[in-house]
C-alpha cells in the first residue's frame, strides 16, 4: 500500500496526487508538515521534504516529486503523461522544470512564505512589496500559458501531459491563497477550468489547511 | 551540431558537460552569462537560464539540465547513467535532485552569490556569516556522501550513475571557489578523486572564469 506524505498546500505533493489520480493508483494520504517533522521522517527522507511516497509493505520510499512521477510513468501504463518522441518528452520535462522551479521560486514559494508560514508559524503579517512583485510576475507566466495554449492543444503539445499537471498544481496553490487574477488571460483561464474539472483534481479541491481557509470560489469548478 | 550555452561555474552546465563527455557526444561550448543575456537568448529559453543545448542545424533547443540528461539517456546508448530497475532509477533521480536542489540551494548557490556575483557583478565583499553557514552545511553533505560510499560502490548503488556526476559537478564548483574542506571525510574525498580523474572531467578542470582564478590544487587530479 502506498502512503503519501504531503501537506495540503505543497504544490509538489499536489502534482503527485494528480498523477496518482490520473493513473488510478490507490494511496493513503498522510499529512506531514516538514517544519514539525521529527527524526522518524528524517530517516525516511534525509532531505526532510515532502512529497514522499512510501511503500509500507516492502518498506521503501520514493522521494522527490519528479523522481516519483518518472517512477510511476515507468511502472504504470495507464494514462501516460511523459509521452511521444524523445524531443516531445524533453519539452514536457522542460515545462515541468519551469513550473516546479521558476514558477515556484518566483510565485508559489514566496506566497507560501508570506501567507502560510508567516500566518501559521511566524505570526507575522505578509510583506506588501513581495505580494506586489509576485502578482506582477504571475501575469508574465499567465501570458506565457496564454501563448502556449493559443499555439498548442495542451501546454507541451498535442497531448495532455505532466506539464499541464505541474502547472495546474502550482496554480491551484496560488488560487487557494486567493492570489489568482485571470483578467486578460482568457486562454489560460479556460485551460485551467478544464484541468480543475478533471476527477483527479477532486482531492485537491477538498483539502483544507487548518487556520487558513480558501476563498469561496476555490472549489467551484466553473470559476 | 550541438552547441552548449553555459558559463564556467554553472554546476548544471557542468553536469551536462560530464554526461556529454561520458557518452562521447561532440559539442561546441558557448559561454553565456545569464545576467548579461540579451533578447536572442531569451527567445531560445524564455526562462533565461543555462544550460541550453542547441541543435544549430535543425534549430531547436533542449532546456533544463535534467531534461537534457534524460534526453541524452533516451537517445544515446553509450554509457547509460540512469540504469537498473525502476526503483534503482528512482534512487538515481532522488540523489540528482538532492544535489541539484538541496546542495545547490544550501551551498553552491550561496557561494556563487557571495564569491562570484558579489566580486564580478556587484563589487561587494562576501558576507562571512553566510560563508560560515555554508561551510557548516557542507560538512553535513560530506557526512552523507561518506555514508553512501561506505555502504555502496557508487552514490546510488552498484553502478556509476548520473547521481555521481550531479554531485561531482556541484562539488567541483565549490572546489573552484576554494571552499572544499575534506578533513574527516576520507571516503568522500577518495570518491571525488576517482571522479575527478575521469577523462570527462578534463574540460571542467581547464575552464577558467575571468577575474576569478581557481586555487592551485583545483586542476590537480591527485589532490
Ligand atoms: N523538488 C522537490 C521539492 C520539494 C519541496 O520543496 N517540498 C517542500 C514543501 S512544498 C518542503 O518539504 N520543504 C521543507 C524543507 O525544504 O525543509 C520535489 O519536487 O519533491
Ligand atoms: N534546474 C535548472 C537550473 C539552471 C540554473 O539555475 N542555472 C543558473 C546558472 S547556474 C542560471 O542560469 N541562472 C540565471 C537565472 O536564473 O536568471 C537546470 O538544471 O538546468
Amino acid at each position: 500500500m502506498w502512503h503519501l506524505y504531503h501537506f495540503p498546500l505543497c504544490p509538489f505533493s499536489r502534482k503527485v496526487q494528480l498523477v496518482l489520480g490520473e493513473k488510478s493508483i490507490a494511496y493513503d494520504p498522510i499529512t506531514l508538515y516538514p517544519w514539525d517533522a521529527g527524526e522518524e521522517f528524517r530517516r525516511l527522507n534525509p532531505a526532510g521534504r515532502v512529497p514522499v511516497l512510501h511503500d509500507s509493505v516492502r518498506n521503501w520510499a520514493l522521494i522527490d516529486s519528479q523522481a516519483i512521477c518518472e517512477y510511476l510513468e515507468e511502472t504504470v501504463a495507464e494514462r501516460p503523461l511523459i509521452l511521444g518522441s524523445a524531443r516531445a518528452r524533453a519539452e514536457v520535462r522542460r515545462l515541468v522544470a519551469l513550473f516546479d522551479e521558476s514558477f515556484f521560486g518566483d510565485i508559489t514559494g514566496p506566497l507560501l512564505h508570506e501567507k502560510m508560514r508567516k500566518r501559521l508559524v511566524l505570526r507575522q503579517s505578509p510583506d506588501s512589496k513581495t505580494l506586489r512583485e509576485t502578482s506582477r510576475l504571475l501575469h508574465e507566466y499567465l501570458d506565457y500559458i496564454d501563448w502556449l495554449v493559443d499555439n498548442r492543444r495542451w501546454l507541451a503539445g498535442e497531448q495532455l501531459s505532466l506539464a499541464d499537471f505541474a502547472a495546474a498544481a502550482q496554480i491551484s496553490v496560488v488560487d487557494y491563497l486567493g492570489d489568482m487574477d485571470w483578467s486578460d488571460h482568457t486562454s489560460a483561464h479556460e485551460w485551467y477550468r478544464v484541468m480543475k474539472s478533471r476527477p483527479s483534481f477532486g482531492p485537491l479541491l477538498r483539502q483544507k489547511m487548518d487556520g487558513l481557509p480558501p476563498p469561496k470560489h476555490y472549489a467551484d469548478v466553473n470559476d
Side-chain angles (χ1 to χ4, degrees), chain A:
Chain A
M1 180 58 170
W2 291 118
H3 292 280
L4 179 70
Y5 291 85
H6 81 114
F7 68 88
L9 289 183
C10 169
F12 309 105
S13 305
R14 287 178 167 233
K15 180 177 71 166
V16 170
Q17 284 179 293
L18 291 170
V19 171
L20 290 165
E22 291 290 329
K23 290 182 173 286
S24 315
I25 301 168
Y27 65 100
D28 251 353
I30 301 179
T31 303
L32 185 127
Y33 297 103
W35 53 91
D36 283 341
E39 266 309 297
E40 206 185 327
F41 182 70
R42 281 256 158 203
R43 267 197 298 275
L44 211 55
N45 180 11
R49 298 161 123 190
V50 292
V52 170
L53 191 61
H54 183 231
D55 179 331
S56 55
V57 176
R58 292 176 292 174
N59 194 26
W60 60 276
L62 290 164
I63 288 159
D64 182 73
S65 71
Q66 196 52 20
I68 296 171
C69 292
E70 298 274 358
Y71 176 90
L72 297 174
E73 192 68 12
E74 290 177 2
T75 54
V76 181
E78 188 175 337
R79 174 83 56 205
L81 291 169
I82 307 176
L83 68 189
S85 65
R87 184 173 159 184
R89 293 158 63 87
E91 177 65 359
V92 172
R93 292 190 181 106
R94 172 183 80 85
L95 286 167
V96 170
L98 184 82
F99 287 100
D100 279 6
E101 295 178 23
S102 303
F103 189 104
F104 177 79
D106 286 339
I107 296 165
T108 327
L111 285 179
L112 283 172
H113 184 75
E114 295 301 326
K115 296 198 149 181
M116 180 189 72
R117 273 184 70 85
K118 281 197 175 171
R119 175 132 168 204
L120 301 182
V121 186
L122 309 169
R123 311 273 165 201
Q124 297 168 356
S125 40
D127 174 58
S128 55
K129 204 173 142 234
T130 308
L131 298 184
R132 271 198 306 278
E133 178 63 5
T134 53
S135 134
R136 188 184 70 75
L137 290 169
L138 178 59
H139 281 293
E140 292 186 9
Y141 283 95
L142 293 176
D143 280 340
Y144 190 52
I145 296 180
D146 282 336
W147 183 86
L148 289 172
V149 292
D150 286 345
N151 287 279
R152 306 166 165 189
R153 210 167 130 58
W154 297 96
L155 295 195
E158 286 311 295
Q159 312 275 349
L160 174 70
S161 80
L162 189 58
D164 298 280
F165 293 103
Q170 297 289 335
I171 288 176
S172 74
V173 175
V174 178
D175 198 27
Y176 187 107
L177 294 171
D179 289 275
M180 275 316 298
D181 173 5
W182 295 108
S183 43
D184 296 321
H185 302 290
T186 325
S187 305
H189 197 180
E190 193 43 49
W191 161 84
Y192 186 62
R193 273 207 200 89
V194 172
M195 295 303 292
K196 197 170 159 181
S197 61
R198 296 184 72 83
S200 62
F201 239 82
L204 272 55
L205 300 180
R206 285 188 296 273
Q207 275 158 29
K208 303 255 152 59
M209 188 114 175
D210 287 341
L212 201 67
K216 275 223 182 57
H217 74 264
Y218 170 73
D220 179 355
V221 295
N222 299 312
D223 190 84

